[in-house]
Amino acid sequence: MTSKGIDHSGLTFRQDYFGDLEAWQALVDLLKDTFDIDIGPLQEMGGPDPSSMPFGWFDRDGLLAANLSAFAMPLVINGRTLNAAAFQSGAVRPPWRGRGLYRDLTRKALAWCEEMGFEAIALYTDKPSLYEPYGFRSLALHAYSGKAPAASKAQTPARRLDPLDAADLTLLRAALKAREPASDVLAVCQSAAMFLINTQLDPGVRVSWMEQEQAAIAWKTEPPGRLILLDIVTADIPSLTSIIGALDIEPDAVDMLFCPDKLGWNGEARSLDGHTHFMIRTPGAITFDRPAMLSPMADF
Ligand SMILES: CC(C)(COP(=O)(O)OP(=O)(O)OC[C@H]1O[C@@H](n2cnc3c(N)ncnc32)[C@H](O)[C@@H]1OP(=O)(O)O)[C@@H](O)C(=O)NCCC(=O)NCCS
């Protein structure tokens, strides 16, 4: 094998395999074994993003040896909607590493994105050098922290949603479909599947429903006294004061894990250096108009 070759002996290539539930389960197993995350519950929540295009090498027993998936993830960056794709679920099982399988899958996924006409591709990684040769560049991420504003008391307090409950899931999916981006600086346009699975991956995440505003708020309080605002899913973003009022909490401080340009509140931007890299591949360089990060509920 040359340094840029591929050794796929004993393996079969498949793409677009999510319709086959055994192959889907093989991906669930690969991600559990590699990253210790369980995307299994996604099937109960409407399934993976319908635009998903997985690329994988399977062994004779149906074990997934290597995978990389692409999906459409339209983004708003600096007020402009970008027809972007994202890469996720990139992993190769240890016995098959160093054979060029990941390089092969990366090239296949890039070719698919080109064919589909995406303007940009985004990904998260702790290994940026893996993607730099393909033109991906890391963007600096910032959260916002500051004093909590006084709450404006809500007539009706928000109620907790359980995304695994059928009625709550229907409500949440409708809100995700109708949502406006949570920020004009950096946000996903929809990305419903990622939001839903992220409610399950971190047990600390709560989702509360503001009935009057028709808004779902993803949040945490860790440690007590700090409101960590993760995302807001609605067609018309309410102010932070009314959100705090509806959540019926009295935090001293707020951490906002997306740019607060639509919230009527301003914290101090705090660099997330050392955090997983958010990389993007675009024809031109991107600089955010304001420090920003993508909501963790869009994490993929
Ligand atoms: C990282 C990983 C996907 C590489 O898979 P692989 O099949 O062994 O990679 P390949 O043999 O196809 O090598 C592809 C290229 O990546 C480079 N590479 C391999 N492992 C790397 C690592 N850990 N860090 C940086 N670069 C790496 C190789 O040198 C090769 O470079 P080249 O194309 O210039 O020759 C695999 O080790 C893995 O699954 N790791 C755990 C999960 C993970 O980190 N996933 C990706 C993060 S998003």
Side-chain angles (χ1 to χ4, degrees), residues 17-18 20-35 37-40 42-43 48 52-56 58 62-70 88-91 93:
Y17 62 78
F18 281 176
D20 173 351
L21 280 184
E22 272 179 39
W24 161 262
Q25 186 57 44
L27 175 66
V28 173
D29 295 342
L30 174 67
L31 300 183
K32 215 179 273 173
D33 295 344
T34 310
F35 301 112
I37 61 163
D38 182 10
I39 62 161
L42 204 44
Q43 283 300 352
S52 296
M53 178 53 69
F55 302 88
F58 290 79
L63 189 78
L64 186 51
N67 186 80
L68 180 62
S69 305
Q88 66 177 175
S89 309
R93 287 188 181 274

Side-chain angles (χ1 to χ4, degrees), residues 182-242:
S183 157
D184 272 336
V185 184
L186 175 62
V188 291
C189 295
Q190 285 199 354
S191 235
M194 285 308 109
F195 182 96
L196 293 172
I197 192 63
N198 279 315
T199 64
Q200 302 304 301
L201 295 181
D202 178 348
V205 172
R206 304 183 205 192
V207 181
S208 297
W209 180 249
M210 295 169 72
E211 178 62 34
Q212 206 180 335
E213 290 78 3
Q214 297 281 294
I217 313 298
W219 62 291
K220 297 200 230 185
T221 43
E222 277 171 8
R226 278 195 100 81
L227 166 64
I228 306 185
L229 204 56
L230 304 168
D231 203 357
I232 302 175
V233 180
T234 178
D236 188 10
I237 300 201
S239 68
L240 184 57
T241 54
S242 51

Side-chain angles (χ1 to χ4, degrees), residues 1 3-5 30 34-35 65-68 87-94 96-107 123-131 133-134:
M1 184 179 100
S3 65
K4 296 287 177 191
L30 174 67
T34 310
F35 301 112
N67 186 80
L68 180 62
F87 284 176
Q88 66 177 175
S89 309
V92 178
R93 287 188 181 274
W96 285 281
R97 288 182 189 166
R99 299 175 180 215
L101 291 175
Y102 200 64
R103 186 190 315 119
D104 173 70
L105 294 174
T106 305
R107 288 177 180 168
L123 59 82
Y124 282 105
T125 187
D126 61 350
K127 301 179 180 68
S129 64
L130 203 54
Y131 302 101
Y134 301 99

Side-chain angles (χ1 to χ4, degrees), residues 60-83:
R60 289 188 185 88
D61 300 322
L63 189 78
L64 186 51
N67 186 80
L68 180 62
S69 305
F71 66 105
M73 194 185 70
L75 287 170
V76 168
I77 298 185
N78 297 335
R80 188 169 97 75
T81 302
L82 220 58
N83 176 24

